[in-house]
Amino acid sequence: MTARSRKTVGSFSLALIAALAACTSYTEIPIETPIQPKLDVSAFQRIFIAGFIAGANEDVDANMETVRLLRSQLRNKGIMRVIDADTLPLLEIAKQNSGEATAPPVPDQQAVTPPQPEQDPTKAPVFNDEKDLEPYQHIFANVAYWKRIGEEFQQPLIVTGAVLFAPQQRSGFVQREQEVYDPFGRRSVVPVRTYMERKGFVLRPTFIFIDGRTGETLHTETFREEILYNASQQTPALSSYFELMDRLLPAFLNTLSAQKIKGTRTLLK
Amino acid sequence: MSARHLVIGLLLALASASTVWADQRGDAKKQVEFGIQVAQRGLWREAIYRWERAAQIDPTYAAAFNNLAVAYEHEGQLAKAREAYEKALALEPNNALVRQNYDLFKEINDRALQKDGRQL
């Protein structure tokens, strides 16, 4: 190849690269998408995270931990004035409330009374699925009770609900990536399907927003998050609880205040 | 009129149409590029104006609709953003960058639309 032809080929290559760059010209840009709150809380100046129906599972007191976490998150974000009061023992209150409602007026009432969720009153029940929570949920519809709580705390927005945090086990095929090397020593990553025993936790909180002025439910929101680890991995339940709560906190906060979601998009020419 | 004249006439009409189209695309491209410059400085409303102009000048310019969608998304105008992304994808269904933007947008939009949770 002569010097001239090399020069021609070089120029042509440069032109081709420039043309390709022009064809695929793009710019990445950071954006912040504002998401409007789901609930209009302008009528409230104070918020009371009252407590949650939650059982005793895996060394995590889901009631206390959820109350503590939500209060601190709301304080950090400056969303309304957070009332710092004792957490309501909702499970006990629901049990008492249920007892009052189904007080046996006749001796054979036992035969028609729905079975009580927990026989041993000194031991907190263990909740493994949604059905276990059902016997206590009437407390959320008790307008008089919540109105009374509202009056006690100067009519705030009350947040209550139920938190199911339970262990789970699952086995089956999972896809994972594996490094392989070809005869020339070149590395590549290929997907491999492997049978695995996995265990972890499921977190299913239901947040109920109650108007402290009337005792009526304004909004209900249910989330579900789960995490699974290799069966041999020992992960503390509390770490898993916080990891799962961390995933759904933005959505919880977005119920009360506008959120900005950061991301990157591509602008084209 | 002979067949030769007809062919010449058609070719001239085609050439003049393609010149008009090239002019339109050139004008629209200027608006798009200026829009990108101002968006990078955070002047998103001006960028929207520029990209809307570009889309008016050349309604087949997918980049203008893509950029407009990004700007609407940034301004929280999610319904308009969806419309603009869908227009961009209709114009260029195989454009991976527009598709990627749209997929990211959908995640946020779905979250915003999830107004009510399930009742206990």
Side-chain angles (χ1 to χ4, degrees), chain A residues 26-27 29-35 38 137 140 206 208 219-222 250 261 264-269, chain B residues 32 36 39-40 44 61 63 66-67 70 73-74 76 78 97-98 101 104 108 111 114-115 117-120:
Chain A
Y26 64 87
T27 309
I29 194 159
I31 66 162
E32 287 187 355
T33 309
I35 305 285
K38 293 171 197 161
Q137 285 168 11
F140 305 123
T206 295
I208 299 173
H219 181 74
T220 301
E221 194 148 14
T222 300
I261 300 174
T264 305
R265 298 289 182 274
T266 307
L267 297 176
L268 305 176
K269 285 183 187 170
Chain B
V32 163
I36 291 173
Q40 284 172 326
W44 285 93
Y61 194 9
N66 171 78
N67 297 356
V70 172
E73 205 182 337
H74 182 81
L78 301 186
L97 294 171
V98 180
N101 278 343
L104 291 167
I108 291 176
R111 202 170 122 182
Q114 192 192 1
K115 287 271 180 193
R118 282 169 291 162
Q119 203 74 32
L120 257 170

Side-chain angles (χ1 to χ4, degrees), chain B residues 4 39-40 57-58 72 86 92 94 109:
Chain B
R4 189 191 290 175
Q40 284 172 326
I57 294 166
D58 184 357
Y72 284 142
E86 283 171 358
E92 284 187 17
N94 298 322
N109 191 49

Side-chain angles (χ1 to χ4, degrees), chain A residues 38-59:
Chain A
K38 293 171 197 161
L39 196 59
D40 179 11
V41 294
S42 55
F44 303 97
Q45 290 179 337
R46 294 150 66 89
I47 185 164
F48 178 40
I49 309 294
F52 298 89
I53 300 280
N57 277 349
E58 296 285 332
D59 306 325

Side-chain angles (χ1 to χ4, degrees), chain B residues 52-68:
Chain B
E52 278 176 346
R53 285 277 301 133
Q56 276 170 3
I57 294 166
D58 184 357
T60 64
Y61 194 9
F65 288 99
N66 171 78
N67 297 356
L68 202 46

Side-chain angles (χ1 to χ4, degrees), chain A residues 164-180:
Chain A
L164 178 75
F165 179 67
Q168 64 167 343
Q169 251 181 325
R170 209 179 290 167
S171 54
F173 283 95
V174 290
Q175 190 165 305
R176 62 190 179 89
E177 291 183 335
Q178 192 177 340
E179 279 185 349
V180 289

Side-chain angles (χ1 to χ4, degrees), chain A residues 38-202:
Chain A
K38 293 171 197 161
L39 196 59
D40 179 11
V41 294
S42 55
F44 303 97
Q45 290 179 337
R46 294 150 66 89
I47 185 164
F48 178 40
I49 309 294
F52 298 89
I53 300 280
N57 277 349
E58 296 285 332
D59 306 325
V60 176
D61 185 340
N63 179 24
M64 296 298 287
E65 295 296 349
T66 306
V67 167
R68 200 186 53 74
L69 184 64
L70 295 186
R71 284 182 184 176
S72 78
Q73 285 291 318
L74 289 167
R75 262 191 216 104
N76 288 346
K77 303 277 175 193
I79 301 169
M80 295 190 272
R81 262 186 68 194
V82 182
I83 296 172
D84 207 1
D86 288 344
T87 303
L88 299 179
L90 271 190
L91 201 60
E92 296 305 314
I93 295 164
K95 275 185 200 171
Q96 286 167 15
N97 202 288
S98 170
E100 284 164 22
T102 58
V106 284
D108 66 341
Q109 182 70 21
Q110 196 64 31
V112 290
T113 302
Q116 288 301 300
E118 183 55 53
Q119 299 305 316
D120 182 358
T122 58
K123 197 179 167 191
V126 173
F127 297 139
N128 289 313
D129 60 38
E130 287 81 9
K131 280 183 184 165
D132 297 338
L133 295 167
E134 276 171 16
Y136 305 99
Q137 285 168 11
H138 58 84
I139 187 74
F140 305 123
N142 190 335
V143 174
Y145 172 73
W146 292 111
K147 197 176 173 191
R148 203 166 65 236
I149 295 288
E151 281 164 3
E152 197 178 323
F153 294 102
Q154 296 169 27
Q155 301 175 328
L157 174 68
I158 300 168
V159 181
T160 182
V163 180
L164 178 75
F165 179 67
Q168 64 167 343
Q169 251 181 325
R170 209 179 290 167
S171 54
F173 283 95
V174 290
Q175 190 165 305
R176 62 190 179 89
E177 291 183 335
Q178 192 177 340
E179 279 185 349
V180 289
Y181 291 88
D182 69 6
F184 302 101
R186 287 176 299 201
R187 176 188 167 277
S188 62
V189 178
V190 291
V192 178
R193 282 173 63 79
T194 328
Y195 185 83
M196 276 177 83
E197 293 281 344
R198 293 188 300 164
K199 62 177 187 177
F201 295 93
V202 60

